[in-house]
Every structure is written in structure tokens, then in C-alpha cells.
């Protein structure tokens, strides 16, 4: 019942003009990363208001919503999952985490990943106290599995999950992941890794610079630009020219 109520309320908020703009912004044309996604045209503040309204929606309802063909309905589900995760006991957190990873094919654009991955995947892995070796084990470590996936979105989930590690000043796993992704072909991965390196640098600039200098000859240009965005103009020029 709740599933139908939430779905119908979201469908009723559809705005064709906004949907058309969103379809272009999130690259849904053939050959682009968001190809085939469908938009209703609902702004984020409206979605967040509905999340508060339906804060008690059960996980089965959220699972059904996460499998919707409409981007904003999936976004509603993910933000609801984050909200529920933050307040839940460990058993429910495990359910949310499992549901998240079981449905990565529906977490298929950068805003869906960026609004949820570190809050659910990153935080859960930290809460469970996995060792770096367990997370990055080539025989089954969850972050290694994600970062080496053929799915762009699973790789981005791995990158964004590290945001929570960085916030807790745990840098070893993030740097292992970023090193693996130096040769990734996707611009959205370059941007996300550069962003995370910049966040790491806010906590330990020397460590960020050590990584950048070590890999300066192979780091993608976009990744580098994002990583050094907060450096001084002189430092940025040195890195971009390779004279650092």
C-alpha cells in the first residue's frame, strides 16, 4: 500500500520541462553514460521533503522503489535508505547495506551514487571494522570487487565509499583504490578520484602530494585538476607542467 502511495505521489509531481533539462544534464542520449534513464522532473528539495513525510516506509517498499524506471523515484529510495541507515540498529543496517549492493544496477548515475555510497557502504564497512586486507583482498574483498568491476557505477561506488574512510583519517584503502583507477577510461571516475584526493589533502596535504608526485606521469589530466584545485596557483602550474 505504501509503495503505491509514494509512487503515485512522485508521479503526480512530474514536470515535463524540468525532466527534459534533467535528461540532458544527466547524459541520457544514446552512447552517453546515462543512456535510457527516464526523468519525472522533480527537484531534490521536493524529494527530501517526501523522504521526511514517508520516513517510516519499510525496506521492502524502498526496494521496490529502487527498481523503478524513473530516476527520481530511485533517488527517493536511496535518500530514504540513508536516512534509515543513520538511525538503525546494526541488524537493519546490514539489511540496508545488502539491499544496496544487491541493486547496484539501479544506482546508475553519479548523483545516485554520490548521495548514498559513502553514507551506506563506506560507513557500514567502517562500523564492521574490516581490515584493509579484508576489504582489498583479490579473492573476495568487497571494495576490490567494486573497484575492479566492469560497471562504471560500481567503480564510482567504491570511490565514494572511501569518502567516509577519509573523514575518519583512514587513508591506506582509499589510496590503494585510487592507484587501481589511474588507468580507468571513464571521465566520471577521473573526476571522483580527483575529488577524493582533494578531500584527503584537506586532512593530509603531504600524503596527497606524495601520491601525486609518485604517479604524475600517468595520472589523468582531469583527475589531477580536481585533486589540486585548492593548491596555490604556482603549485597548480607546477603540477600541470610536470615541473614539481
Amino acid at each position: 500500500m505504501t509503495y503505491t502511495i509514494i509512487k503515485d505521489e512522485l508521479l503526480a509531481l512530474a514536470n515535463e520541462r524540468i525532466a527534459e533539462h534533467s535528461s540532458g544534464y544527466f547524459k541520457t542520449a544514446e552512447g552517453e553514460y546515462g543512456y535510457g534513464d527516464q526523468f519525472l522532473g522533480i527537484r531534490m528539495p521536493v524529494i527530501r521533503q517526501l523522504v521526511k513525510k514517508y520516513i517510516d516506509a519499510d525496506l521492502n517498499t524502498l526496494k521496490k522503489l529502487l527498481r523503478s524506471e524513473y530516476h527520481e523515484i530511485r533517488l527517493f529510495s536511496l535518500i530514504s535508505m540513508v536516512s534509515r541507515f543513520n538511525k538503525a540498529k546494526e541488524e537493519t543496517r546490514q539489511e540496508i547495506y545488502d539491499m544496496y549492493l544487491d541493486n547496484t544496477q539501479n544506482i546508475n548515475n553519479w548523483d545516485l551514487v554520490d548521495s548514498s555510497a559513502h553514507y551506506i557502504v563506506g560507513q557500514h564497512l567502517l562500523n564492521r571494522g574490516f581490515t584493509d586486507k579484508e576489504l582489498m583482498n583479490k579473492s573476495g574483498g568487497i571494495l576490490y570487487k567494486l573497484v575492479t568491476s566492469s560497471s562504471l557505477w560500481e567503480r564510482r561506488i567504491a570511490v565514494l565509499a572511501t569518502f567516509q574512510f577519509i573523514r575518519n583519517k583512514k587513508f591506506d584503502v582509499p589510496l590503494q583504490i585510487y592507484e587501481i583507477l589511474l588507468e580507468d577510461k571513464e571521465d566520471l571516475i577521473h573526476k571522483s578520484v580527483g575529488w577524493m584526493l582533494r578531500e584527503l589533502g584537506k586532512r593530509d596535504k603531504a600524503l596527497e602530494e606524495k601520491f601525486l608526485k609518485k604517479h604524475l606521469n600517468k595520472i589523468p589530466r582531469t583527475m589531477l585538476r580536481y585533486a589540486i584545485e585548492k593548491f596555490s596557483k604556482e603549485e597548480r602550474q607546477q603540477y600541470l607542467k610536470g615541473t614539481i
Side-chain angles (χ1 to χ4, degrees):
M1 186 68 169
T2 306
Y3 163 73
T4 303
I5 291 171
I6 296 173
K7 182 188 72 171
D8 288 349
E9 185 161 352
L10 284 160
L11 290 173
L13 292 168
N15 182 302
E16 187 175 346
R17 180 184 59 81
I18 297 174
E20 184 177 356
H21 175 269
S22 296
S23 294
Y25 183 71
F26 288 102
K27 307 297 184 183
T28 63
E30 186 172 0
E32 295 182 316
Y33 59 74
Y35 175 60
D37 204 355
Q38 298 182 59
F39 285 81
L40 292 170
I42 308 172
R43 300 294 192 192
M44 178 67 89
V46 177
I47 293 173
R48 290 195 180 279
Q49 288 174 7
L50 287 178
V51 168
K52 291 179 182 179
K53 180 178 178 179
Y54 294 107
I55 193 64
D56 294 324
D58 61 86
L59 295 187
N60 190 51
T61 292
L62 297 182
K63 182 188 296 185
K64 291 179 180 178
L65 294 168
L66 185 55
R67 294 172 177 172
S68 171
E69 68 269 38
Y70 293 109
H71 186 101
E72 292 92 342
I73 295 181
R74 301 198 302 280
L75 182 58
F76 170 92
S77 175
L78 290 165
I79 294 174
S80 296
M81 288 166 64
V82 169
S83 180
R84 177 69 62 83
F85 185 92
N86 290 335
K87 302 170 185 176
K89 294 182 179 179
E90 185 55 38
E91 182 179 353
T92 302
R93 286 186 172 191
Q94 182 70 50
E95 286 185 63
I96 294 170
Y97 168 83
D98 289 341
M99 186 169 82
Y100 189 94
L101 291 183
D102 286 343
N103 288 276
T104 54
Q105 71 273 18
N106 302 310
I107 308 169
N108 56 352
N109 215 310
W110 60 264
D111 64 318
L112 302 177
V113 174
D114 295 5
S115 62
S116 60
H118 54 302
Y119 294 116
I120 295 176
V121 179
Q123 190 59 55
H124 181 74
L125 296 177
L126 283 174
N127 290 347
R128 294 297 302 274
F130 290 105
T131 65
D132 295 357
K133 185 176 181 179
E134 288 172 326
L135 292 171
M136 295 300 292
N137 190 301
K138 293 182 180 181
S139 299
I142 183 57
L143 287 180
Y144 185 82
K145 179 182 177 182
L146 288 169
V147 78
T148 57
S149 169
S150 60
S151 164
L152 160 63
W153 307 116
E154 289 192 345
R155 298 199 305 278
R156 187 156 175 129
I157 286 170
V159 175
L160 265 293
T162 67
F163 199 174
Q164 215 69 353
F165 285 71
I166 290 169
R167 286 173 167 174
N168 286 271
K169 296 186 177 181
K170 295 179 181 294
F171 303 135
D172 288 348
V173 165
L175 290 175
Q176 289 181 56
I177 286 176
Y178 308 156
E179 191 165 23
I180 289 171
L181 293 171
L182 286 171
E183 297 183 9
D184 200 281
K185 304 303 182 184
E186 295 288 349
D187 190 59
L188 283 175
I189 296 299
H190 301 169
K191 290 177 179 179
S192 63
V193 173
W195 170 22
M196 290 301 104
L197 283 168
R198 186 171 72 238
E199 290 296 328
L200 187 153
K202 292 178 182 178
R203 282 84 175 173
D204 191 333
K205 186 179 179 184
L207 184 60
E208 180 193 4
E209 290 201 83
K210 181 179 179 181
F211 181 89
L212 294 176
K213 290 174 182 177
K214 178 181 178 181
H215 301 293
L216 193 57
N217 291 331
K218 62 189 302 188
I219 189 168
R221 199 70 165 174
T222 297
M223 189 185 294
L224 179 61
R225 286 186 179 277
Y226 271 64
I228 63 176
E229 190 175 84
K230 299 299 181 181
F231 287 14
S232 70
K233 182 178 180 180
E234 182 180 359
E235 287 176 313
R236 292 198 304 273
Q237 288 301 311
Q238 288 177 327
Y239 274 100
L240 292 171
K241 292 178 180 178
T243 59
I244 192 70

